[in-house]
Amino acid sequence: MGRVLLTGGTGIVGSSIAEALVARGRAVRALVRSEERGRACLPAACELVRGDVTDAGSVRRAVAEVG
C-alpha cells in the first residue's frame, strides 16, 4: 500500500482519521500549516509537510511520492 496524503489533519476529524490510518499500518503524510500543531495533534508516525491547500506549490510538494 502506498502513502496517503491527509489534509485537515490538525482538526478533530482529521486527527482521528490519521490515528485510524496509522493503526492500520498505512504511511501517512499530512499537509499542515503549523508543524508544531501537527506534532501535537497527529501520531508520531505521520510525516508532516508544511503548507496550505490554497497554495498550489505546497500541494504539489505534499502530493509528490503519494499513492
Side-chain angles (χ1 to χ4, degrees):
M1 284 189 256
R3 185 179 300 147
V4 174
L5 176 63
L6 177 68
T7 62
T10 58
I12 294 169
V13 174
S15 61
S16 295
I17 291 171
E19 288 177 19
L21 289 168
V22 168
R24 289 184 174 101
R26 298 300 302 265
V28 177
R29 175 181 286 174
L31 179 64
V32 296
R33 286 181 280 182
S34 165
E35 290 181 50
E36 182 178 291
R37 182 167 166 85
R39 285 189 194 99
C41 296
L42 296 167
C46 290
E47 175 188 0
L48 304 182
V49 176
R50 188 167 178 263
D52 190 291
V53 295
T54 63
D55 175 52
S58 64
V59 173
R60 277 193 292 278
R61 284 191 303 278
V63 171
E65 299 176 22
V66 171

PDB file of all heavy atoms in Angstrom, residues 16-36:
ATOM      1  N   SER A  16      -8.339  12.118  13.954  1.00  0.00           N
ATOM      2  CA  SER A  16      -8.910  10.782  14.172  1.00  0.00           C
ATOM      3  C   SER A  16      -8.671   9.889  12.962  1.00  0.00           C
ATOM      4  O   SER A  16      -8.367   8.701  13.105  1.00  0.00           O
ATOM      5  CB  SER A  16     -10.409  10.875  14.458  1.00  0.00           C
ATOM      6  OG  SER A  16     -10.631  11.546  15.676  1.00  0.00           O
ATOM      7  N   ILE A  17      -8.799  10.459  11.779  1.00  0.00           N
ATOM      8  CA  ILE A  17      -8.519   9.701  10.557  1.00  0.00           C
ATOM      9  C   ILE A  17      -7.052   9.292  10.524  1.00  0.00           C
ATOM     10  O   ILE A  17      -6.724   8.148  10.192  1.00  0.00           O
ATOM     11  CB  ILE A  17      -8.910  10.513   9.309  1.00  0.00           C
ATOM     12  CG1 ILE A  17     -10.430  10.655   9.235  1.00  0.00           C
ATOM     13  CG2 ILE A  17      -8.347   9.880   8.036  1.00  0.00           C
ATOM     14  CD1 ILE A  17     -10.916  11.620   8.178  1.00  0.00           C
ATOM     15  N   ALA A  18      -6.163  10.208  10.875  1.00  0.00           N
ATOM     16  CA  ALA A  18      -4.732   9.898  10.904  1.00  0.00           C
ATOM     17  C   ALA A  18      -4.447   8.750  11.858  1.00  0.00           C
ATOM     18  O   ALA A  18      -3.700   7.817  11.523  1.00  0.00           O
ATOM     19  CB  ALA A  18      -3.928  11.138  11.298  1.00  0.00           C
ATOM     20  N   GLU A  19      -5.025   8.789  13.044  1.00  0.00           N
ATOM     21  CA  GLU A  19      -4.820   7.716  14.021  1.00  0.00           C
ATOM     22  C   GLU A  19      -5.300   6.382  13.481  1.00  0.00           C
ATOM     23  O   GLU A  19      -4.626   5.362  13.631  1.00  0.00           O
ATOM     24  CB  GLU A  19      -5.537   8.049  15.325  1.00  0.00           C
ATOM     25  CG  GLU A  19      -4.878   9.161  16.108  1.00  0.00           C
ATOM     26  CD  GLU A  19      -5.644   9.531  17.364  1.00  0.00           C
ATOM     27  OE1 GLU A  19      -6.473   8.714  17.834  1.00  0.00           O
ATOM     28  OE2 GLU A  19      -5.402  10.634  17.876  1.00  0.00           O
ATOM     29  N   ALA A  20      -6.468   6.370  12.838  1.00  0.00           N
ATOM     30  CA  ALA A  20      -7.010   5.128  12.292  1.00  0.00           C
ATOM     31  C   ALA A  20      -6.135   4.590  11.169  1.00  0.00           C
ATOM     32  O   ALA A  20      -5.882   3.375  11.086  1.00  0.00           O
ATOM     33  CB  ALA A  20      -8.439   5.360  11.788  1.00  0.00           C
ATOM     34  N   LEU A  21      -5.651   5.468  10.298  1.00  0.00           N
ATOM     35  CA  LEU A  21      -4.780   5.028   9.199  1.00  0.00           C
ATOM     36  C   LEU A  21      -3.478   4.448   9.725  1.00  0.00           C
ATOM     37  O   LEU A  21      -3.033   3.388   9.266  1.00  0.00           O
ATOM     38  CB  LEU A  21      -4.504   6.195   8.248  1.00  0.00           C
ATOM     39  CG  LEU A  21      -5.678   6.646   7.378  1.00  0.00           C
ATOM     40  CD1 LEU A  21      -5.353   7.983   6.714  1.00  0.00           C
ATOM     41  CD2 LEU A  21      -6.001   5.590   6.331  1.00  0.00           C
ATOM     42  N   VAL A  22      -2.863   5.122  10.679  1.00  0.00           N
ATOM     43  CA  VAL A  22      -1.604   4.638  11.258  1.00  0.00           C
ATOM     44  C   VAL A  22      -1.832   3.302  11.958  1.00  0.00           C
ATOM     45  O   VAL A  22      -1.023   2.380  11.834  1.00  0.00           O
ATOM     46  CB  VAL A  22      -0.989   5.693  12.210  1.00  0.00           C
ATOM     47  CG1 VAL A  22       0.149   5.112  13.026  1.00  0.00           C
ATOM     48  CG2 VAL A  22      -0.511   6.906  11.410  1.00  0.00           C
ATOM     49  N   ALA A  23      -2.951   3.168  12.664  1.00  0.00           N
ATOM     50  CA  ALA A  23      -3.268   1.917  13.350  1.00  0.00           C
ATOM     51  C   ALA A  23      -3.421   0.759  12.368  1.00  0.00           C
ATOM     52  O   ALA A  23      -3.147  -0.396  12.704  1.00  0.00           O
ATOM     53  CB  ALA A  23      -4.539   2.072  14.182  1.00  0.00           C
ATOM     54  N   ARG A  24      -3.824   1.077  11.150  1.00  0.00           N
ATOM     55  CA  ARG A  24      -3.973   0.054  10.108  1.00  0.00           C
ATOM     56  C   ARG A  24      -2.676  -0.166   9.327  1.00  0.00           C
ATOM     57  O   ARG A  24      -2.667  -0.870   8.322  1.00  0.00           O
ATOM     58  CB  ARG A  24      -5.092   0.445   9.159  1.00  0.00           C
ATOM     59  CG  ARG A  24      -6.460   0.338   9.787  1.00  0.00           C
ATOM     60  CD  ARG A  24      -7.561   0.637   8.784  1.00  0.00           C
ATOM     61  NE  ARG A  24      -8.856   0.384   9.363  1.00  0.00           N
ATOM     62  CZ  ARG A  24      -9.674   1.313   9.832  1.00  0.00           C
ATOM     63  NH1 ARG A  24      -9.329   2.576   9.774  1.00  0.00           N
ATOM     64  NH2 ARG A  24     -10.837   0.990  10.341  1.00  0.00           N
ATOM     65  N   GLY A  25      -1.617   0.488   9.770  1.00  0.00           N
ATOM     66  CA  GLY A  25      -0.320   0.287   9.135  1.00  0.00           C
ATOM     67  C   GLY A  25      -0.055   1.133   7.905  1.00  0.00           C
ATOM     68  O   GLY A  25       0.904   0.877   7.179  1.00  0.00           O
ATOM     69  N   ARG A  26      -0.869   2.125   7.664  1.00  0.00           N
ATOM     70  CA  ARG A  26      -0.683   2.983   6.494  1.00  0.00           C
ATOM     71  C   ARG A  26       0.358   4.059   6.783  1.00  0.00           C
ATOM     72  O   ARG A  26       0.459   4.556   7.907  1.00  0.00           O
ATOM     73  CB  ARG A  26      -1.999   3.665   6.100  1.00  0.00           C
ATOM     74  CG  ARG A  26      -3.116   2.740   5.700  1.00  0.00           C
ATOM     75  CD  ARG A  26      -2.806   1.863   4.494  1.00  0.00           C
ATOM     76  NE  ARG A  26      -2.462   2.593   3.299  1.00  0.00           N
ATOM     77  CZ  ARG A  26      -3.318   2.912   2.336  1.00  0.00           C
ATOM     78  NH1 ARG A  26      -4.576   2.574   2.426  1.00  0.00           N
ATOM     79  NH2 ARG A  26      -2.893   3.581   1.284  1.00  0.00           N
ATOM     80  N   ALA A  27       1.118   4.415   5.771  1.00  0.00           N
ATOM     81  CA  ALA A  27       2.058   5.533   5.850  1.00  0.00           C
ATOM     82  C   ALA A  27       1.259   6.802   5.558  1.00  0.00           C
ATOM     83  O   ALA A  27       0.588   6.889   4.529  1.00  0.00           O
ATOM     84  CB  ALA A  27       3.177   5.358   4.843  1.00  0.00           C
ATOM     85  N   VAL A  28       1.310   7.773   6.458  1.00  0.00           N
ATOM     86  CA  VAL A  28       0.507   8.991   6.334  1.00  0.00           C
ATOM     87  C   VAL A  28       1.410  10.206   6.217  1.00  0.00           C
ATOM     88  O   VAL A  28       2.314  10.405   7.023  1.00  0.00           O
ATOM     89  CB  VAL A  28      -0.434   9.169   7.557  1.00  0.00           C
ATOM     90  CG1 VAL A  28      -1.210  10.470   7.449  1.00  0.00           C
ATOM     91  CG2 VAL A  28      -1.373   7.983   7.690  1.00  0.00           C
ATOM     92  N   ARG A  29       1.157  10.998   5.190  1.00  0.00           N
ATOM     93  CA  ARG A  29       1.802  12.303   5.033  1.00  0.00           C
ATOM     94  C   ARG A  29       0.702  13.336   5.238  1.00  0.00           C
ATOM     95  O   ARG A  29      -0.335  13.285   4.580  1.00  0.00           O
ATOM     96  CB  ARG A  29       2.399  12.453   3.639  1.00  0.00           C
ATOM     97  CG  ARG A  29       2.979  13.840   3.396  1.00  0.00           C
ATOM     98  CD  ARG A  29       3.542  13.976   2.010  1.00  0.00           C
ATOM     99  NE  ARG A  29       4.796  13.256   1.934  1.00  0.00           N
ATOM    100  CZ  ARG A  29       5.480  13.101   0.812  1.00  0.00           C
ATOM    101  NH1 ARG A  29       5.023  13.590  -0.320  1.00  0.00           N
ATOM    102  NH2 ARG A  29       6.622  12.452   0.815  1.00  0.00           N
ATOM    103  N   ALA A  30       0.923  14.260   6.150  1.00  0.00           N
ATOM    104  CA  ALA A  30      -0.089  15.263   6.461  1.00  0.00           C
ATOM    105  C   ALA A  30       0.382  16.645   6.030  1.00  0.00           C
ATOM    106  O   ALA A  30       1.485  17.064   6.368  1.00  0.00           O
ATOM    107  CB  ALA A  30      -0.381  15.263   7.960  1.00  0.00           C
ATOM    108  N   LEU A  31      -0.462  17.321   5.284  1.00  0.00           N
ATOM    109  CA  LEU A  31      -0.210  18.707   4.898  1.00  0.00           C
ATOM    110  C   LEU A  31      -0.715  19.581   6.039  1.00  0.00           C
ATOM    111  O   LEU A  31      -1.905  19.553   6.378  1.00  0.00           O
ATOM    112  CB  LEU A  31      -0.950  19.043   3.602  1.00  0.00           C
ATOM    113  CG  LEU A  31      -0.810  20.461   3.074  1.00  0.00           C
ATOM    114  CD1 LEU A  31       0.635  20.747   2.700  1.00  0.00           C
ATOM    115  CD2 LEU A  31      -1.717  20.675   1.878  1.00  0.00           C
ATOM    116  N   VAL A  32       0.202  20.302   6.679  1.00  0.00           N
ATOM    117  CA  VAL A  32      -0.153  21.107   7.855  1.00  0.00           C
ATOM    118  C   VAL A  32       0.342  22.533   7.693  1.00  0.00           C
ATOM    119  O   VAL A  32       1.389  22.776   7.109  1.00  0.00           O
ATOM    120  CB  VAL A  32       0.438  20.503   9.153  1.00  0.00           C
ATOM    121  CG1 VAL A  32      -0.149  19.130   9.431  1.00  0.00           C
ATOM    122  CG2 VAL A  32       1.941  20.417   9.104  1.00  0.00           C
ATOM    123  N   ARG A  33      -0.415  23.469   8.195  1.00  0.00           N
ATOM    124  CA  ARG A  33       0.034  24.868   8.190  1.00  0.00           C
ATOM    125  C   ARG A  33       1.061  25.105   9.279  1.00  0.00           C
ATOM    126  O   ARG A  33       1.955  25.927   9.126  1.00  0.00           O
ATOM    127  CB  ARG A  33      -1.154  25.809   8.360  1.00  0.00           C
ATOM    128  CG  ARG A  33      -1.983  25.906   7.087  1.00  0.00           C
ATOM    129  CD  ARG A  33      -3.127  26.853   7.268  1.00  0.00           C
ATOM    130  NE  ARG A  33      -4.157  26.100   7.986  1.00  0.00           N
ATOM    131  CZ  ARG A  33      -5.333  26.584   8.294  1.00  0.00           C
ATOM    132  NH1 ARG A  33      -5.642  27.816   8.000  1.00  0.00           N
ATOM    133  NH2 ARG A  33      -6.213  25.843   8.919  1.00  0.00           N
ATOM    134  N   SER A  34       0.922  24.390  10.398  1.00  0.00           N
ATOM    135  CA  SER A  34       1.830  24.551  11.533  1.00  0.00           C
ATOM    136  C   SER A  34       2.403  23.186  11.909  1.00  0.00           C
ATOM    137  O   SER A  34       1.661  22.300  12.352  1.00  0.00           O
ATOM    138  CB  SER A  34       1.084  25.145  12.731  1.00  0.00           C
ATOM    139  OG  SER A  34       1.839  24.999  13.916  1.00  0.00           O
ATOM    140  N   GLU A  35       3.718  23.024  11.736  1.00  0.00           N
ATOM    141  CA  GLU A  35       4.349  21.763  12.118  1.00  0.00           C
ATOM    142  C   GLU A  35       4.227  21.538  13.624  1.00  0.00           C
ATOM    143  O   GLU A  35       4.059  20.394  14.066  1.00  0.00           O
ATOM    144  CB  GLU A  35       5.804  21.745  11.680  1.00  0.00           C
ATOM    145  CG  GLU A  35       5.947  21.639  10.166  1.00  0.00           C
ATOM    146  CD  GLU A  35       7.393  21.597   9.725  1.00  0.00           C
ATOM    147  OE1 GLU A  35       8.160  20.793  10.278  1.00  0.00           O
ATOM    148  OE2 GLU A  35       7.737  22.380   8.819  1.00  0.00           O
ATOM    149  N   GLU A  36       4.305  22.602  14.397  1.00  0.00           N
ATOM    150  CA  GLU A  36       4.175  22.481  15.855  1.00  0.00           C
ATOM    151  C   GLU A  36       2.808  21.903  16.224  1.00  0.00           C
ATOM    152  O   GLU A  36       2.710  20.973  17.025  1.00  0.00           O
ATOM    153  CB  GLU A  36       4.372  23.846  16.504  1.00  0.00           C
ATOM    154  CG  GLU A  36       4.305  23.824  18.015  1.00  0.00           C
ATOM    155  CD  GLU A  36       4.565  25.193  18.597  1.00  0.00           C
ATOM    156  OE1 GLU A  36       5.716  25.672  18.509  1.00  0.00           O
ATOM    157  OE2 GLU A  36       3.603  25.775  19.137  1.00  0.00           O
TER     158      GLU A  36
END
